[in-house]
Amino acid sequence: MKAVHTIAAGAVAALFSGALCAQSTLDAVKSKGYVQCGVNTGLAGFSQPDSRGVWKGLDVDSCRAVAAAVFGDHTKVRYTPLTAQQRFTALQSGEVDILSRNTTWTITRDTSLGLNFVGVTYYDGQGFMVPKKLNVKSAKQLNGATICVQPGTTTELNLADYFRASKMSFKPVVIEKLEEITNAYFAGRCDVFTTDVSGLVSTRGSRATNPADHIILPEVISKEPLGPVVRHGDDRWFDVVKWSVFAMLEAEEMGLSSKNIDQNLNSTNPAIQRFVGATGDIGKMLALDNRWAYNVVKQVGNYGESFEANLTPLGFDRGINNLWTKGGLMYAPPVR
Ligand SMILES: N[C@@H](CCC(=O)N[C@@H](CS)C(=O)NCC(=O)O)C(=O)O
């Protein structure tokens, strides 16, 4: 018995020393000089390269916020476009440091896939889009419909649940690539395209020949809280990513923006002084410069600025993604 105990204790000690000696993601990111960020292959408003090849969007801004916090330079990000099916393996294998790609926080992903969701950057739900000419007014009229859906998504699972619960049948057309699935839908190869409502609004606004020819049905059949994700087992990196994202929300709540944060560097408000790093040592707690949050807001903007720059032009309302102080769900824990 004694020998067994000794071996077990030795194994545990070895495991611990291995874990403690392994280079943390923050150290690895600092030494390579950039954050490798997994993003969508091209979803307007969330992550898409512009005509000059510069990645833009709400999900991209989470990556830029981390780079601003870590390096004081929001451009120190490299992007890996990932389909829904590729995304978790890319994060688990270390190919990317963060996954910021319209990914729904679920218990399965948070536990058995070995991931940590840092928070929610967009509260969403699954919907259905149909051509107006089909004259469908409700999802309850979709019995027997051909439905375009992407594999490896919560969308696929919710779709099956919803039709079973409603005692309806459907014919799935399962296509992995966004480009191909939207082409299939717009070419009439399926009657319906289903995904997160944000994905529907985005693809309708950016890819339909005439957006007004397509309607999004009133039923929202699921909760899809979307947010950035990191790997299990690296709490310091988890903290850095989490607070970089929270800083954008906290800034909006405090009335700090990229336009006015410089004027606030000499604020007499103690909460603002701490936030911009004029007092206290919050930066040190994160192993970052004390100007980490200032850099996020100065270079990337607050959450509302990102929303307005990326989503408002596509017709998105703040809705439940407004701050809790304005009737929405967006709430950052205190930066203190
Ligand atoms: N939020 C859902 C769905 C996310 C998702 O992948 N949606 C599709 C439709 S907008 C997409 O982004 N496809 C792009 C691609 O796979 O390249 C999830 O996390 O499973």
Side-chain angles (χ1 to χ4, degrees), residues 13-313:
L15 252 178
F16 263 103
S17 71
L20 291 175
C21 291
Q23 200 187 25
S24 73
T25 308
L26 179 59
D27 291 337
V29 162
K30 281 181 175 169
S31 66
K32 70 186 173 186
Y34 58 86
V35 181
Q36 192 76 44
C37 189
V39 290
N40 197 297
T41 54
L43 188 62
F46 288 88
S47 54
Q48 198 178 42
D50 70 9
S51 54
R52 292 174 302 132
V54 180
W55 284 86
K56 295 270 164 71
L58 192 85
D59 287 344
V60 164
D61 281 355
S62 295
C63 304
R64 293 172 61 228
V66 175
V70 173
F71 299 110
D73 183 348
H74 70 107
T75 66
K76 299 251 186 283
V77 186
R78 294 194 189 169
Y79 297 94
T80 306
L82 298 166
T83 67
Q85 262 192 327
Q86 297 165 329
R87 62 186 154 174
F88 299 122
T89 322
L91 183 59
Q92 287 157 339
S93 68
E95 191 187 331
V96 297
D97 304 309
I98 311 172
L99 177 68
S100 185
R101 185 208 172 282
N102 55 324
T103 295
T104 305
W105 188 348
T106 69
I107 194 168
T108 310
R109 293 169 177 179
D110 208 344
T111 57
S112 63
L113 289 193
L115 307 174
N116 276 328
F117 284 78
V118 309
V120 179
T121 51
Y122 191 94
Y123 287 94
D124 209 345
Q126 182 174 338
F128 301 99
M129 179 160 73
V130 292
K132 209 175 200 164
K133 63 170 193 255
L134 293 188
N135 222 359
V136 172
K137 297 281 181 288
S138 154
K140 298 289 174 199
Q141 297 170 270
L142 294 178
N143 193 15
T146 304
I147 304 187
C148 272
V149 60
Q150 291 195 283
T153 58
T154 47
T155 320
E156 209 184 4
L157 310 174
N158 299 328
L159 178 66
D161 285 358
Y162 180 77
F163 273 73
R164 195 179 312 112
S166 310
K167 300 194 167 43
M168 299 192 299
S169 69
F170 68 101
K171 292 180 218 67
V173 175
V174 183
I175 302 176
E176 184 181 354
K177 295 214 163 68
L178 187 61
E179 178 91 29
E180 287 170 18
I181 197 166
T182 49
N183 287 347
Y185 167 75
F186 289 122
R189 278 177 51 210
C190 30
D191 309 315
V192 185
F193 177 34
T194 185
T195 185
D196 303 336
V197 173
S198 63
L200 297 177
V201 174
S202 165
T203 48
R204 178 174 65 177
S206 62
R207 294 175 192 239
T209 316
N210 181 11
D213 288 346
H214 302 271
I215 60 162
I216 295 169
L217 300 177
E219 288 85 358
V220 175
I221 66 164
S222 68
K223 290 187 287 187
E224 307 291 329
L226 312 176
V229 200
V230 294
R231 283 178 290 281
H232 268 177
D234 189 342
D235 290 348
R236 306 234 312 179
W237 181 241
F238 183 26
D239 288 345
V240 165
V241 178
K242 186 165 41 184
W243 287 98
S244 301
V245 170
F246 282 148
M248 292 180 68
L249 275 177
E250 184 74 347
E252 185 180 8
E253 192 180 327
M254 290 171 129
L256 299 173
S257 71
S258 59
K259 314 232 162 32
N260 70 16
I261 195 150
D262 280 332
Q263 286 123 264
N264 280 283
L265 280 174
N266 301 316
S267 167
T268 52
N269 176 331
I272 294 181
Q273 287 176 339
R274 268 193 306 274
F275 187 83
V276 300
T279 60
D281 54 5
I282 293 174
K284 204 189 281 171
M285 299 176 200
L286 290 164
L288 300 177
D289 189 276
N290 222 32
R291 289 269 189 249
W292 68 281
Y294 163 84
N295 288 331
V296 170
V297 178
K298 174 75 186 169
Q299 300 185 10
V300 184
N302 68 36
Y303 178 81
E305 286 182 279
S306 176
F307 196 103
E308 267 166 43
N310 296 303
L311 298 178
T312 309

